[in-house]
Amino acid sequence: MGDEHDHDHGQDHEHRHPHDHDHDHGHDHDHGHAHGHDHSHAHDHADAPRTRADLPMGAGVGKTLFLDAPSGLAGDMIIAALIDLGVPEAVVHDAVATLSMTGFHLHFGTRVWSGIVATAFDVHVDAPQPERTYGSIRALLDASTLVPGVKARAHATFLALARAEAKVHRAPLEEVHFHEVGAVDAIVDVVGSAAALEWLGAEVVVSPLPMGRGFVKARHGVLPLPAPAAVECLAGFETYDGGADFEFVTPTGAAIVAAHARRSSRWPRMAPEFVGWGAGTKELADRPNLLRAVLGAAAGASADVGRHVVIEANVDDATGELVGSAIETLMGEGALDVWASPITMKKGRPGLTVSVLASEERADALAVSLLRETTSIGVRRYAVARVERPRRQVTVETRFGTIAIKVSEGPYGPPQAKPEFDVCQLAARTHGVPVREVLQEALAVFRAANP
């Protein structure tokens, strides 16, 4: 589309290297979350030893990953927070290594804000990098050997950003030109965050995001903050006035949220298990420049036995796609189970009953969600009781990695062991084998250890 797409939205606006900077470094509203404009690193901390252990692949399956962003977010901060949370650094290194790009290297370190030692992530560019179009980035991803799940996430992120740029400039999608957004550090941020999120497999929830004010100098003009592409990407997510002339959320960070986050929440109902901190670079006057990632059990995962509600709605004018989407959304919002049953409605019309099993605490919210996500104009609800087998989770080491297994016990006959299917799917995609092979090996290893 030409040079009108030269918005310097790339490098995640973090500009983590000294090359190709055409921004005014002396202003808080420098384009790029100012995560790379403070090159003195006066607050950088020596690479302190990390006390957390690496999380196994699939550690977030069935759980909530909350991105708590009072200072906004950018691609490097997201990667840093996920590594600090427990995603192995090799996950990011290995994913980036599949791309046919050279002239850069990655660095993980630490930085201290308000006494909190957080992980910092930087892409050091060692050689000039080409400008790339959306089409060339898509081809780059297609030609890589990224596992399918990571490749799909990376494609989704760049597609969200391309659509935003195309809308802002009223240009055909294929003609959108990326410049610094297509530079190596932005590609690393997109691919690295995709790999880390796929490793965890958790549902992503993001806090309301602060929006900066003022203007930012781009390569071919001045743009208002928040950047137009960032606003387009954040459609449907909660935002608020950040109270400063500063770019709190970069377009790349916004695109990662758009591609992977399910919803906004000030703090989701969850039981925190692991916490990670990702550091920005610029010192802020009124808050630490940190992103907090919290992984924990989702709402309703530990509801008391016998205190449950069934919420139901009959629908005869919803497509299978709509019902499937509603089921996925309701599960993500804390339902214990959701199912659809075929029925015959008045006038002989075929229809479906969409049923939701919920804890009493979540019943009201899920009733609202059921009405919002289906074509029904009313729902009914009734209390139910159920008996559960006591359950625990164990992990086994297989040649496909660490696999979680749910073990159900109690006075109800022999224990039942079931590998977590989503974890097995991740392992199968990573190793290029059928999922049944991973399931069989996980059970064999478990039974060998528990004869």
Side-chain angles (χ1 to χ4, degrees), residues 31-191:
H31 199 204
H33 205 285
H35 285 321
H37 291 200
D38 183 4
H39 290 291
S40 67
H41 297 293
H43 294 271
D44 282 6
H45 192 273
D47 289 350
R50 293 173 183 168
T51 56
R52 57 106 178 109
D54 286 344
L55 294 174
M57 181 175 63
V61 171
K63 298 180 181 180
T64 296
L65 174 66
F66 179 49
L67 299 180
D68 183 24
S71 301
L73 47 76
D76 64 324
M77 295 177 74
I78 293 172
I79 290 178
L82 296 179
I83 295 300
D84 201 65
L85 183 75
V87 175
E89 291 180 13
V91 170
V92 173
H93 281 287
D94 291 348
V96 172
T98 69
L99 305 174
S100 57
M101 300 191 306
T102 59
F104 67 97
H105 65 276
L106 311 183
H107 176 70
F108 288 100
T110 55
R111 189 171 293 127
V112 180
W113 291 121
S114 298
I116 297 173
V117 181
T119 292
F121 174 64
D122 294 286
V123 179
H124 296 281
V125 179
D126 307 315
Q129 297 291 324
E131 295 179 344
R132 296 177 172 92
T133 65
Y134 171 60
S136 67
I137 293 174
R138 191 172 59 188
L140 178 73
L141 295 175
D142 285 337
S144 72
T145 57
L146 289 167
V147 298
V150 176
K151 186 178 292 188
R153 285 179 179 270
H155 272 306
T157 305
F158 269 113
L159 179 59
L161 190 54
R163 284 175 171 166
E165 293 283 6
K167 185 175 181 180
V168 169
H169 301 292
R170 301 187 182 185
L173 188 69
E174 292 301 319
E175 296 182 14
V176 170
H177 279 67
F178 292 137
H179 292 278
E180 292 192 354
V181 166
V184 62
D185 48 356
I187 296 173
V188 168
D189 287 346
V190 170
V191 172

Side-chain angles (χ1 to χ4, degrees), residues 53 93 120 140 190 197-198 213 250 282 313 338 357 369 394 420 425 440:
H93 281 287
L140 178 73
V190 170
L197 291 169
E198 182 74 1
R213 305 183 303 226
T250 70
K282 182 76 174 185
V338 186
L357 179 65
S369 297
V394 300
E420 291 286 0
Q425 278 186 313
Q440 290 169 356

Side-chain angles (χ1 to χ4, degrees), residues 127-436:
Q129 297 291 324
E131 295 179 344
R132 296 177 172 92
T133 65
Y134 171 60
S136 67
I137 293 174
R138 191 172 59 188
L140 178 73
L141 295 175
D142 285 337
S144 72
T145 57
L146 289 167
V147 298
V150 176
K151 186 178 292 188
R153 285 179 179 270
H155 272 306
T157 305
F158 269 113
L159 179 59
L161 190 54
R163 284 175 171 166
E165 293 283 6
K167 185 175 181 180
V168 169
H169 301 292
R170 301 187 182 185
L173 188 69
E174 292 301 319
E175 296 182 14
V176 170
H177 279 67
F178 292 137
H179 292 278
E180 292 192 354
V181 166
V184 62
D185 48 356
I187 296 173
V188 168
D189 287 346
V190 170
V191 172
S193 61
L197 291 169
E198 182 74 1
W199 180 267
L200 290 172
E203 179 194 63
V204 180
V205 178
V206 66
S207 68
L209 295 172
M211 295 286 101
R213 305 183 303 226
F215 300 91
V216 61
K217 181 182 177 184
R219 184 176 297 181
H220 291 293
V222 175
L223 295 175
L225 289 178
V231 177
E232 293 291 342
C233 286
L234 293 176
F237 291 92
E238 187 176 349
T239 63
Y240 64 94
D241 180 5
D245 289 356
F246 183 73
E247 187 166 39
F248 289 103
V249 179
T250 70
T252 306
I256 293 170
V257 168
H260 307 303
R262 177 65 60 83
R263 58 190 171 90
S264 297
S265 175
R266 294 194 177 277
W267 191 280
R269 288 175 57 88
M270 63 184 299
E273 297 172 7
F274 302 95
V275 179
W277 296 92
T281 306
K282 182 76 174 185
E283 183 171 6
L284 304 178
D286 61 343
R287 70 198 82 183
N289 198 348
L290 295 168
L291 171 67
R292 175 163 49 187
V294 185
L295 181 67
S302 59
D304 292 337
V305 174
R307 299 178 56 211
H308 296 82
V309 175
V310 170
I311 308 157
E312 292 182 342
N314 293 349
V315 295
D316 63 359
D317 56 351
T319 66
E321 290 175 327
L322 183 64
V323 172
S325 175
I327 290 173
E328 184 179 4
T329 298
L330 290 160
M331 288 298 298
E333 294 186 359
L336 299 175
D337 199 2
V338 186
W339 63 96
S341 307
I343 57 173
T344 301
M345 298 179 65
K346 59 187 178 182
K347 299 182 181 180
R349 295 173 181 168
L352 293 171
T353 296
V354 181
S355 303
V356 182
L357 179 65
S359 65
E360 287 185 344
E361 294 81 2
R362 294 294 298 156
D364 290 340
L366 288 168
V368 172
S369 297
L370 183 57
L371 285 169
R372 184 188 69 232
E373 298 295 331
T374 69
T375 55
S376 177
I377 60 174
V379 300
R380 58 187 174 273
R381 53 191 288 174
Y382 49 89
V384 298
R386 68 174 183 176
V387 177
E388 294 181 349
R389 297 185 72 154
R391 287 169 291 178
R392 61 188 175 93
Q393 190 176 80
V394 300
T395 58
V396 295
E397 297 298 329
T398 75
R399 59 193 173 97
F400 305 115
T402 303
I403 304 296
I405 295 181
K406 184 185 298 180
V407 182
S408 302
E409 299 169 312
Y412 309 107
Q416 297 182 19
K418 181 181 179 183
E420 291 286 0
F421 191 79
D422 290 344
V423 179
C424 293
Q425 278 186 313
L426 287 172
R429 287 199 297 262
T430 300
H431 293 274
V433 300
V435 68
R436 65 177 181 275

